[in-house]
Amino acid sequence: MSITKRFTLQLAVIALPILIFIGSALYWQLESGLSSMTADLHSRTLAGVVDELETELRRQGRDLSDVLVAQPPLRQHLLAQSRLQGRVPLVINHHGELRLLLPDGVRPTGTEQGILDKYTRLFNVGTFQYERSGVMALGERYYTVVVLPAQTKAWRGLALIQELTPERFKALSHASELIGELQLLPESRIGRNISIPVATFSGEPLWVTATFHQWQRVQKSHLLWSLMALFVGAILVMLGVMIFQLWRQLLAPAQELKQALENHHQNKLWHKPLKLKGSSATRKLTQLINTLSEEVGISHLFHHSALNAVSDAAIMVNQEGRVIQLSPVAELLLGLKTEQVLHKPLSAIMPGNSGAQLDAMLVALLNGSKLHEEGRVQLAREQLARMVDFSITRVDKQEGECVGAVVILKDITRSELLKRELKRKAQYDVITSLYNRQSFDQYLQNMESDDGQHAICYMDLARFKLINDSCGHEAGDRMLKDVSEAMARCIRKGDFLARIGGDEFALVLANTTALEAARQLKVLMDKVRAITLYWDSGSYTVGIHIGVAFHRGLESTPREVFKDAELACQAAKTKGESQIHFFDSLDQDMAHQRNAPAWAMKINEAIINDNLVLFFQPIEAISHKTHRRRMEILLRIREENGSILAPGQFIAAAERFNLMPTVDRAVVRKAFEWLARHPELWEIQVLSVNLSGTTLSSDGLVDYIDDLTKSLNIPPHCICFEVTETAAIANESRALEILHALRRRGFAFALDDFGSGFASYGYLRQLPVDYVKIDGCFVRNLATNAKDYAIVKSIHDVCRVIGIETVAEFVEDQDTLDQLKMIGVNYAQGYGIGRPKDLETYEPDLPPPEEQAQAWP
């Protein structure tokens, strides 16, 4: 059907009911308005009747008042006039008797007597207490009644009663042409007629109602139909004009536009603009269509350009899951052209099970509520397998109707291979192809929930550094490969072997006993020792040290067990080359090494929080008198609970983790600060402060001591630094440089623990020391051991000749002290002289001023 016929039919189907509805509504509106106007007119007419009736009652009240106040002659005249008008005056005396009030000499008629009889039963004395008026019904008759109270000797009140006859009631309407008949009716009988209430004297309320002449309805109907005829005529004229204008302005141009669009569609001429004649509205519509066509064409260009530019494969399908277009990348990935796959399902164009899998997901997505689906499949075509990530997105209209979907395929074959290679490199050692440290740590973490018994081994190669230094790292790498291959052949399937450092390996022997582990590790050790590397006309072998610790359920974490295995490996190194050592938690040395990291942390916290405490132990002169007091400064740590830790518990940990330079500097600072607070002791007190070997060889020590001396203004002769024999010899050149520098500044030096190390007298000539402290191992049994006596005497004699004073340590009894005096040792130190005490509690016995003046500097 053409657009013109369709429009005409729609206009007839839609416009005619609308016209009928509007005409009916207009008719009922006019009819309702006229009816409302008529009802209002009738109401006003009835209201006029009621007003006339009330006016009549007021007039009767005035006439009755005139009778009450008139003189007898005039009263007789007024009564006569009232009687002629049909009114019946009544009077009530003070005895409550109701009588007719008539002119003198006139006898009552039957009507008047009847009214008196009727109202005698209705009126009482209370009725005449105030002025009242209104209509009263007696049977089928109606009367107007007016009552006035009277204050005379004979009367208590007057009443005027007049029957309201139909003629009299009709006269009240002034013979209105609208009213056909007037009636007074009680409320129960008024019905639906227009009615207005009137004032009643007593009893049931009364309403005035009327019937109106029918000729008004006929006039109203003629008026309504005339108006409707004019309306219909006007509507028809307007409709004709509108149809003509619509045809001229819209229908004809629309028909022309439709034909032009069909022509463009058939001939694929969307790139050419439409050219139509017609109104301005049609031209604007044509311009809009041309603009939309241009935008659609540009959108298609961008669409094709995007498909060509995108690096992922895109497949577009319709709502039935059939292919409608492939991107160039998709054609290359699948090896098919778009023309070959049009309207085919994915299962027909993709090889293997991947096509069926994607097709099933696509159908479920198109028919379900989900909008997106993604995953990974493998495409296998001939000998080439590709791993692709897919993403399916459903395309819906704004109304929610599905129109198809877009399937994106991303070829991740190369990235997956790269990931696997990176993962392999991240998990395996590059040189040995064993697991690396990261993989071993992860393996230990996974072992935390394992309740079996496993041997965790720490293995360190011996003489490996010799190969690297002599032949280079290439030879070292060759040896590592040979060692790793030999060890790999010695382990079981469930064991775990990893290279965790340069020449360090870790091994976990799963579910084994100590005996089985020892046998297996012995075989492994023999295999490694049997390896010989031939390089540059030389041959090289390595040994291996193995530390073993057992992980048993929840006793300890695998990481802690591995640390125990490392400690056991260090113990194995002390036994000799290629040894196996099993960790024993009851071994005290092992326990100290195991707790060393915790002690190191505690020492570091003590330094930061200033929890280092200085103790002192006196050094007494025994072979001569001197006014100089000497004492050695000892280090302690105060814990949070107030307890004091002795140095034997933490010094080894500080030395192992290279904390001694920091500790020694803190001790020097606190000792200098204590001296700065006691200037009265500068001329009589000497503090001996220990310096470790690492501190003695550290950079900046001399500058640090210079800064403290200048800032605190401490005299150098109050300080004697003690260094051990082994510390001074370990880095002889550096130690001598520092010792000479501090000696030039006025500080004294003592060589501690002399005799327990190299015990070479030759060093005494080179080292600039003032005192030699004889090691306590020779002093402790001096009184009972002739050999110790001879050694101590020999050390003292040599030092005396060189000019060095001697100090004996560990003096614990009087016998030992007596022997030292016999030898001539200068000073003694030990529990027999005095026990260590807190430096803050030190209270020296100051000599008299004259003795202080004689004290040697």
Side-chain angles (χ1 to χ4, degrees), residues 4 187 198 247 254 277 373 458 491 549 555 558 743:
T4 305
E187 187 175 8
V198 297
W247 171 261
K277 299 179 181 178
E373 188 75 51
Y458 186 98
I491 63 175
E555 292 182 2
R743 186 72 175 274

Side-chain angles (χ1 to χ4, degrees), residues 19 227-242:
L19 291 176
L227 292 175
M228 288 300 298
L230 290 175
F231 169 75
V232 171
I235 290 297
L236 291 176
V237 172
M238 292 176 60
L239 186 61
V241 174
M242 181 181 68

Side-chain angles (χ1 to χ4, degrees), residues 506-540:
L507 173 63
V508 178
L509 302 177
N511 300 313
T512 186
T513 63
L515 181 58
E516 293 174 351
R519 290 174 178 173
Q520 187 173 354
L521 293 174
K522 182 64 171 62
V523 174
L524 183 145
M525 179 184 298
D526 293 339
K527 292 289 186 182
V528 172
R529 294 175 62 186
I531 298 174
T532 302
L533 175 66
Y534 297 97
W535 197 273
D536 291 339
S537 301
S539 61
Y540 302 89

Side-chain angles (χ1 to χ4, degrees), residues 728-747:
I729 297 173
N731 192 351
E732 183 178 352
S733 60
R734 179 62 176 166
L736 285 175
E737 180 182 349
I738 293 177
L739 291 177
H740 284 293
L742 293 177
R743 186 72 175 274
R744 287 193 297 269
R745 286 163 174 77
F747 295 100

Side-chain angles (χ1 to χ4, degrees), residues 569-593:
C569 183
Q570 294 176 4
K573 293 179 181 179
T574 62
K575 295 180 179 181
E577 183 180 324
S578 298
Q579 298 292 324
I580 302 175
H581 187 86
F582 285 81
F583 179 82
D584 185 2
S585 59
L586 300 179
D587 189 338
Q588 292 297 323
D589 292 336
M590 287 286 184
H592 287 312
Q593 294 185 30

